[in-house]
Amino acid sequence: MKKITYRDGLISFQIPKDWIEEYEENGSGTFYEDSQESGTLRVNVLTVNEKDTDETDKNLIHSFKASISSKNAVEITDEYDSLKGDTIIESLCRTQENDILINIYRFDCIHKTNKSDYLIAMFTWTIKTEFEKLDNYADDLKMIQNNIMNLTFGR
């Protein structure tokens, strides 16, 4: 595994050492194995200033879940606290892109900072639905879930 220090330490997480890393000017990151059967992990981080919202921790989480549920064919598969006490909302969207069936797993990690804001790390793992039956599919999903559970926020 290799450690990714994303956007100067805003968050840190791990991916397999042989995965390719790509970063966009807008700050988003893309990570994947160089294989036809590989999924693609993407990440972006939002900052929500507490002064700009009337949300309490619980209301912010509820609002996020409502926004996720409003998307087509999305099911919230889990909501749990990471090992660090942050809330993680996991969801799955089965959809179609260019006539190809895909699964999009989404992990929204909500972290209350020491300052007056929240950091929301949004991960998606997109993979062709046809690969669900492969042995490494479940292993890759579990590895991604575990690494997100161990996500570290820089503030």
Side-chain angles (χ1 to χ4, degrees):
M1 300 297 277
K2 66 179 169 182
K3 182 178 180 179
I4 300 297
T5 303
Y6 179 76
R7 291 179 51 190
D8 296 325
L10 194 56
I11 62 172
S12 298
F13 58 97
Q14 292 194 6
I15 61 171
K17 62 183 172 192
D18 61 337
W19 279 22
I20 296 168
E21 302 173 51
E22 296 176 355
Y23 298 94
E24 301 292 325
E25 284 186 31
N26 68 3
S28 64
T30 304
F31 312 92
Y32 57 93
E33 181 181 9
D34 190 12
S35 163
Q36 293 290 353
E37 298 171 355
S38 172
T40 302
L41 181 68
R42 291 180 178 83
V43 64
N44 208 341
V45 178
L46 293 177
T47 303
V48 177
N49 192 310
E50 197 171 48
K51 291 179 237 166
D52 296 338
T53 181
D54 298 335
E55 308 285 356
T56 63
D57 292 359
K58 192 176 240 181
N59 287 343
L60 180 66
I61 292 164
H62 178 72
S63 294
F64 233 137
K65 286 173 75 171
S67 111
I68 293 167
S69 295
S70 68
K71 308 258 189 277
N72 289 339
V74 170
E75 59 185 272
I76 294 182
T77 54
D78 211 352
E79 176 186 337
Y80 48 91
D81 291 332
S82 75
L83 300 176
K84 313 259 188 309
D86 300 313
T87 298
I88 301 173
I89 302 168
E90 181 179 335
S91 59
L92 169 61
C93 177
R94 296 178 187 273
T95 188
Q96 189 169 325
E97 185 176 279
N98 299 325
D99 295 327
I100 298 171
L101 295 174
I102 59 173
N103 295 346
I104 303 172
Y105 291 88
R106 180 172 160 170
F107 305 89
D108 295 295
C109 309
I110 302 170
H111 172 74
K112 175 83 164 122
T113 70
N114 297 341
K115 300 179 180 186
S116 61
D117 59 8
Y118 295 89
L119 292 178
I120 303 169
M122 298 175 300
F123 290 87
T124 60
W125 184 54
T126 306
I127 190 163
K128 290 181 183 177
T129 303
E130 70 182 271
F131 298 141
E132 280 181 317
K133 295 172 181 61
L134 297 177
D135 291 340
N136 64 334
Y137 181 92
D139 294 339
D140 286 351
L141 178 58
K142 189 67 175 168
M143 178 266 305
I144 289 167
Q145 289 168 321
N146 287 338
N147 287 334
I148 289 172
M149 283 285 292
N150 289 299
L151 169 74
T152 302
F153 285 88
R155 59 176 193 191

